[in-house]
Amino acid sequence: MDLRKVGQLNLLTALIWGEARGEPYDGKFAVGMVVFNRVNDPRWPHTYEDVILQLSCFNIEDPNHHEILKAVIPSRNGNWQNMTWRECRSSAQLVLGRWREDNTKGANHYHSIDCDPRWDDNMILTITIGDHEFFKA
């Protein structure tokens, strides 16, 4: 499957599903806002598809990769019947439509609170939502 052709809404939904399906609604939205912030920053590619596909959960070695692929196309595996998937979809729609303020305070990075990567050492922590910390570089 060529993921660049499934569309930005499907890709963003799958990313949020893969990265934040266990998070509160605000956390799901925040993960999507990081993508929005990167798309609008000249340091990253200018399309949702290119930014999203750079994120680690889309790497084939990522343990979440299989779950993400199942979430890309809404008709697969009964996604429309899954309330969590529908929250991910709704969050993606809010991000793409700019129908809600950025709750990350401009963050362009995030990670789970249970890891401590080196890349965040020189970044500003903007907010913690659920089990994710959000940073601005």
Side-chain angles (χ1 to χ4, degrees), residues 33-52:
M33 281 308 304
V34 167
V35 174
F36 174 87
N37 292 335
R38 285 186 178 195
V39 167
N40 290 287
D41 185 320
R43 293 176 289 178
W44 282 278
H46 298 290
T47 69
Y48 282 89
E49 292 85 355
D50 288 339
V51 169
I52 290 167

Side-chain angles (χ1 to χ4, degrees), residues 98-109:
R98 284 301 279 144
W99 295 329
R100 185 175 167 194
E101 286 275 322
D102 180 358
N103 64 346
T104 71
K105 302 175 186 170
N108 46 33
H109 290 76

Side-chain angles (χ1 to χ4, degrees), residues 52-101:
I52 290 167
L53 292 174
Q54 285 182 344
L55 295 168
S56 62
C57 64
F58 279 92
N59 293 338
I60 197 151
E61 298 86 21
D62 190 285
N64 226 358
H65 185 73
H66 182 70
E67 281 299 314
I68 290 170
L69 290 181
K70 289 192 312 189
V72 168
I73 305 298
S75 59
R76 289 192 180 172
N77 301 311
N79 291 339
W80 287 110
Q81 306 307 315
N82 183 313
M83 183 56 79
T84 301
W85 183 89
R86 288 166 53 186
E87 286 181 358
C88 295
R89 181 63 150 214
S90 171
S91 296
Q93 290 171 319
L94 288 176
V95 169
L96 293 172
R98 284 301 279 144
W99 295 329
R100 185 175 167 194
E101 286 275 322

Side-chain angles (χ1 to χ4, degrees), residues 94-134:
L94 288 176
V95 169
L96 293 172
R98 284 301 279 144
W99 295 329
R100 185 175 167 194
E101 286 275 322
D102 180 358
N103 64 346
T104 71
K105 302 175 186 170
N108 46 33
H109 290 76
Y110 64 88
H111 65 70
S112 171
I113 60 173
D114 61 357
C115 70
D116 187 21
R118 289 185 184 157
W119 58 254
D120 72 356
D121 290 345
N122 297 319
M123 295 190 186
I124 299 165
L125 175 65
T126 62
I127 195 165
T128 300
I129 303 173
D131 289 333
H132 283 97
E133 294 179 327
F134 294 85

